[in-house]
Amino acid sequence: MDKQSNLRLILAVAISFVVIVVWSKFFTPEPIRTPTTIEPNLTKNKMESEVPSAVTNTSSQQTTQSQADSSSNSLLPDSLTQKDIITRVEGSQFDMDIDSKGTIVQVYLKADKYTQPHQEGIFTHIGRLFGMVGGENKKLERLPLLANNSSLYPLQIFFVDNHLRELANSVPYTANIDHLVVDNEAQTLTLTQNLGEIVVEKQLTIYPNMTYKITINLSKPAQYIISNGMRPNADGDSYAFQGVLLQKTDTAIEKVEDGDAKIEGQNYSDALYIASVDRYYTSLFFNIDKPLSVVVGAFAKGLPRPFVNLKEQNETLYGYIGPKDYNLLKSINPHLTSVVEYGRITFFAKYIFTLLDYLYQYMGNWGMAIIVLTLIIRIILFPLSFKGMVSMQKLKDLAPKMKEIQQKHKGDPQKLQAAMMELYKKHGANPLGGCLPLLLQIPVFFAIYRVLYNAVELKNAPFFAWIHDLSVMDPYFILPVLMGVSMYAQQAITPTAFSDPMQAKVFKWLPVIFTIFLITFPAGLILYWTINNIISIVQQLAINKILDIKKQKGKYSQHK
């Protein structure tokens, strides 16, 4: 491969990188959203549609699409807009509401990390100045995690028997306490539903870290299903995974994304946990010592309906509703850390986050942790980077000879290729050597992007005076501009030998193209890329100096 082909490959890789980033950012199809409002006049479907056919063993062909479209409403309490809150739970970091259906209808986060407003950018400030943007960016008192009028709530029970299910839908629960304070110790309340022929008792123990233990006692045996609820609806971003995921006993992860659930339901007999998730938050059930039998059905438009199958008189489950904080989930149970999902590159991104979190524990600032992480990555890749930079320098030095060969064999591509390969072999040059470091950095870039995009730990994490949230864009575009400038400076000192003026022009415009397309990406990601450029500049200057010294001493020449 000649130098011109090598440069074309570099350009192709760089341009493809931009195209992939832009497509994933702006053109990825938006997942279907969980409905937040319910039409009050929709007709109820048959009671059989409340339970997925995978539970009742009915044929999936018997479930029509019209049944599926209305099944979500048959799962709802009769007076969904007038929830009867029977117990309010108050904790130092969260509040919780429990209604007369014996379900958790809302969880509120109270920490500043989750309640402070998004940082306003320069355009918003200008808009407010000239009256083009109204309102105020106020701090929330509490952040609600669950959607109002959700289709399914945590702890919602449905009996498989039609008669019991219909009876349970009309009889409210009672609570032994209407206000519970969970401060430093766990507190327990009892919810009771007397159906006459059977009594349902839920003993709910709530812990300060937003976990809970639910023990269900029936006065006589009956088969039923219980849900961990629809996914939280606290983050409106549509580019992260949203839906239901679970981990099986063989550690395999199964995912059912919004829009992909099957009406008849999918059975999993050995789940360590089942979690409904959005970008930052989750509502889940787990029982590591006794794997769960779960089924994931579907509402209309393929929205997942997660349930756990139960049939004993006395059953115990553990649950959690809150942020997907890695260390918190790990403290509850290490298996739960896989709830933090980074997409297709999770297998690699999770190690990037582990290292980043380790650095943060010592430095106390996520921005500084990103800088040190970048240094570590560049140190690991330095041998390859060094070889690539030396290879580019050799190719630059060989440019005159390459041009002579191109002129000599202009009309004979085969001889030209053979002569070029002989030249590379003679001088120890690798036409692909400059591409390898770039290719290796692309998966690292995407892994860091997914970490910064999905890790709730970085939400509202400050760095420098003007950046108050590394998980969103730089509001004043300072970092993107610095990234573009550093990228241009890196190009200026990197050896190149373009024979095509058009290629040279395109290459010079790459810093501008990258700056424009990455300007709205998380500030933490731009910080990583900027520091990466600065390190590359230092390395290139050092290598250029070393090669100059070798040339002067006669240890490196074109004719070696």
Side-chain angles (χ1 to χ4, degrees), residues 38-50 66-67 69-79 101 158 165-166 168-170:
I38 302 296
E39 295 286 344
N41 57 349
L42 287 177
T43 305
K44 278 191 174 184
N45 190 24
K46 294 189 301 181
M47 296 303 290
E48 286 82 358
S49 66
E50 292 183 354
S66 60
Q67 287 177 326
D69 290 339
S70 60
S71 65
S72 59
N73 290 284
S74 64
L75 284 165
L76 302 177
D78 290 330
S79 303
K101 293 294 181 180
F158 298 97
R165 186 164 67 252
E166 185 175 349
N169 192 51
S170 60

Side-chain angles (χ1 to χ4, degrees), residues 397 427 545-560:
D397 293 340
H427 294 275
K545 185 69 173 177
I546 292 171
L547 294 178
D548 287 341
I549 294 173
K550 285 185 176 182
K551 284 181 181 180
Q552 293 173 5
K553 293 182 177 181
K555 294 182 179 179
Y556 175 85
S557 69
Q558 295 180 6
H559 304 287
K560 183 178 178 181

Side-chain angles (χ1 to χ4, degrees), residues 122 260 321 335 466 473 503 517 535 556:
I122 185 171
D260 292 341
I321 305 178
H335 286 285
W466 75 94
M473 61 180 283
Q503 287 182 346
F517 285 123
I535 296 172
Y556 175 85

Side-chain angles (χ1 to χ4, degrees), residues 36 359 408 430:
T36 56
L359 295 171
K408 182 178 179 180
N430 183 359

Side-chain angles (χ1 to χ4, degrees), residues 60-133:
S60 61
Q61 283 76 14
Q62 294 176 351
T63 305
T64 65
Q65 183 61 46
S66 60
Q67 287 177 326
D69 290 339
S70 60
S71 65
S72 59
N73 290 284
S74 64
L75 284 165
L76 302 177
D78 290 330
S79 303
L80 193 60
T81 58
Q82 299 178 354
K83 300 186 185 71
D84 181 14
I85 306 302
I86 59 175
T87 300
R88 296 189 183 275
V89 180
E90 182 180 352
S92 58
Q93 298 296 316
F94 72 99
D95 292 337
M96 180 184 293
D97 290 341
I98 300 171
D99 74 344
S100 59
K101 293 294 181 180
T103 65
I104 299 172
V105 291
Q106 194 55 270
V107 173
Y108 302 92
L109 298 183
K110 299 160 72 172
D112 288 342
K113 181 182 185 71
Y114 309 108
T115 58
Q116 62 189 31
H118 287 296
Q119 184 180 8
E120 294 182 342
I122 185 171
F123 294 131
T124 305
H125 287 305
I126 294 174
R128 293 199 192 283
L129 181 63
F130 290 96
M132 294 182 291
V133 178

Side-chain angles (χ1 to χ4, degrees), residues 18-19 37 64 142 162 180 235 275 374 400 421 464 487 560:
V18 172
V19 171
T37 58
T64 65
R142 303 180 300 176
N162 293 342
L180 196 66
D235 184 87
T374 311
M421 295 306 296
F464 291 135
M487 189 174 181
K560 183 178 178 181

